Amino acid sequence: MITTLIGALIGALFGGIAGALIGGAAGWLVGQWIKQSIVGSLQLAQSQLVESTFSIMGAVSKADGVVTREEINAVEQMFGMLRLEGEMKENAKAAFNRGKQADFDLDAAVDQFAAVTRGRGPLVQLFLQMQVRAVAADGPIHPGVHAMLVRIARRLGRTEHDGSQWAALLRAAGAGP
């Protein structure tokens, strides 16, 4: 709307009524292009967040050698918590299954997550909590899973200052010192 008005005003300055009509139409087209670019970018970012979050969750869940029914139930609860439906839910399930594969590149997935979140602390913390929640669903966290979680946290730039929060989170989940 605003781009249509701006286009019409600029067109009117240079070409009178005909210029206003042409400028308004051009402004409307620019507005549509901007709207689609923003919506497309947001959808891409959301898709990348879901992909990396759930693929990493699959890898972390598999780190002790087996993905339990309790872990799967916890992941499915997160689908509801995040209001994932339809295609987005199916993509999350597929990502989780990709993460369980032996050839899954954990570091690349963590780096992708870091690029999308751009160091937003609260989002990174939520991500880490979701990972812990999934793997703690079946009881105490296996040492191999603990090591993988610490590796992920460090790769995401969690510092020693964050260490006390991280240790408390793991203790609350029944793991770590």
Side-chain angles (χ1 to χ4, degrees):
M1 176 73 175
I2 190 78
T3 56
T4 304
L5 181 61
I6 292 171
L9 289 174
I10 292 172
L13 286 174
F14 292 102
I17 293 176
L21 292 173
I22 294 170
W28 181 83
L29 289 172
V30 168
Q32 293 302 307
W33 177 79
I34 290 171
K35 182 177 166 184
Q36 291 207 351
S37 295
I38 290 172
V39 169
S41 294
L42 290 174
Q43 288 173 337
L44 178 62
Q46 180 184 24
S47 177
Q48 288 174 336
L49 280 172
V50 166
E51 168 68 28
S52 53
T53 297
F54 287 99
S55 64
I56 292 166
M57 196 174 293
V60 173
S61 294
K62 185 73 174 191
D64 62 357
V66 64
V67 178
T68 66
R69 178 65 130 152
E70 293 84 3
E71 290 170 327
I72 292 170
N73 289 342
V75 171
E76 288 175 348
Q77 287 175 354
M78 286 182 223
F79 294 160
M81 179 182 78
L82 297 172
R83 296 187 175 130
L84 298 181
E85 296 177 350
E87 185 179 343
M88 191 63 75
K89 184 176 178 180
E90 292 306 313
N91 290 344
K93 286 179 182 180
F96 184 81
N97 288 329
R98 275 191 298 281
K100 295 187 307 184
Q101 302 303 311
D103 63 347
F104 178 70
D105 188 347
L106 178 67
D107 291 337
V110 173
D111 291 347
Q112 178 185 9
F113 177 81
V116 173
T117 59
R118 293 183 188 93
R120 292 182 182 101
L123 190 54
V124 172
Q125 189 64 26
L126 174 63
F127 165 83
L128 292 171
Q129 289 171 350
M130 289 173 61
Q131 301 300 321
V132 170
R133 182 176 175 193
V135 295
D138 63 350
I141 294 178
H142 183 274
V145 173
H146 179 273
M148 184 179 281
L149 289 168
V150 170
R151 174 178 158 199
I152 291 167
R154 287 190 178 138
R155 195 158 186 99
L156 289 172
R158 300 286 92 177
T159 65
E160 292 303 315
H161 172 72
D162 302 316
S164 60
Q165 290 177 339
W166 182 243
L169 182 62
L170 290 173
R171 273 195 305 277

